[in-house]
Amino acid sequence: MTQQTQPLLLSNYDYHLPESLIARYPLENRTSSRLLHVSDRGCQDLHFGDLIELLNPGDLLVLNDTKVIKARLHGQKQTGGAVEVLVERILPDEAGAPANQALCHVRSSRSPKAGQVLSLADDQMRATVMGRQDNLFILSFESPILADLDKYGQMPIPPYFERKAGEKDDERYQTVFHDPAKSASVAAPTASLHLDEALLTQLRQKGVQIAFVTLHVGSGTFAPVKVDNLADHIMHAEYAHLPAPTAALINATKAAGSRIVAVGTTVTRTLETAHLHRVDGELVEFSGDTQIFIYPPYEFGVVDCLITNFHLPKSTLLMLVSAFAGTQAIKDAYNHAIEHQYRFFSYGDAMFLERHTPSS
């Protein structure tokens, strides 16, 4: 009984990381990062370019093609107080016109009230507070949000960078294969930041298949779990889409005996959500919000291998990778990474995880 319930404790997913190992800036080249191969055989130190040796012809690499928007804005309230806005989710316009309302995080000394107008980006943008939805504010902007964010917003780099976003982040906190028509994420699918066009071409030439899903990443990806029992945690919602062609390719790859390799926890959550909605045992197109919370024990239905970065302590993502590779294996891998000076978090190094198969 103790062994079964222990992984449900939040304290089982905490660790100490030296500040010096937080990667606050990207490396010069995307593929220059290190890659820790974690399997039932232990840990192996590689570089990201070695990924081509870990994949076999016929394997399917699944990527998240979402685009990160410049979601952070600074400005003032009508009272003159400073305010910071992070656009969390743009609300759809029922008439099909470009949207001008969004759910936002608003940071200020005092929370703005309904009816107040916020002056943002040196008064280039204005937004009226319409009300609240849970911990988020509903803001109505004077003009379509996406176009103005692209002009005046800042890339929403993680808070632990402890710096302002720069021009380099506009390029590097974005995947090389993002779809401009899918602009909605407020955090990057960071495992994919290691891929460049040259490596993707090499993988295709080897016979590795590549397909795409979409999950619009929310800021909740950085939020620590605050309950002691994981079963009490309520997961934030994010929009996910598994297109029909990708679903069909996954089914065919599985039938052929090849592996599904998810690049990132966002892809993993999308595929495992779709697995819950399969028809006659096969994946079909899925579109909608997901609140799937993956933690040990969890039986994965789609993903065979997972490429991922190192995650924050007490985060849902650390719990997901523990469910995938095994809690002890992840603890050992993180200890190994710290001892060998790996770089952590969004601009840090990566892991290649093989799915743990518990012995009977």
Side-chain angles (χ1 to χ4, degrees), residues 187-228:
T190 55
S192 293
L193 298 181
H194 304 283
L195 292 161
D196 62 14
E197 294 290 357
L199 182 55
L200 289 169
T201 297
Q202 287 180 298
L203 290 169
R204 289 188 178 98
Q205 290 173 344
K206 184 174 181 176
V208 175
Q209 308 172 94
I210 296 175
F212 298 92
V213 299
T214 304
L215 184 139
H216 295 321
V217 192
S219 61
T221 190
F222 300 120
V225 176
K226 296 182 179 179
V227 295
D228 292 329

Side-chain angles (χ1 to χ4, degrees), residues 13 15 311-312 314-322 330 334:
Y13 301 92
Y15 67 94
H311 302 294
L312 293 163
K314 297 183 178 180
S315 66
T316 60
L317 305 184
L318 183 57
M319 296 158 196
L320 185 154
V321 297
S322 297
I330 290 297
Y334 274 56

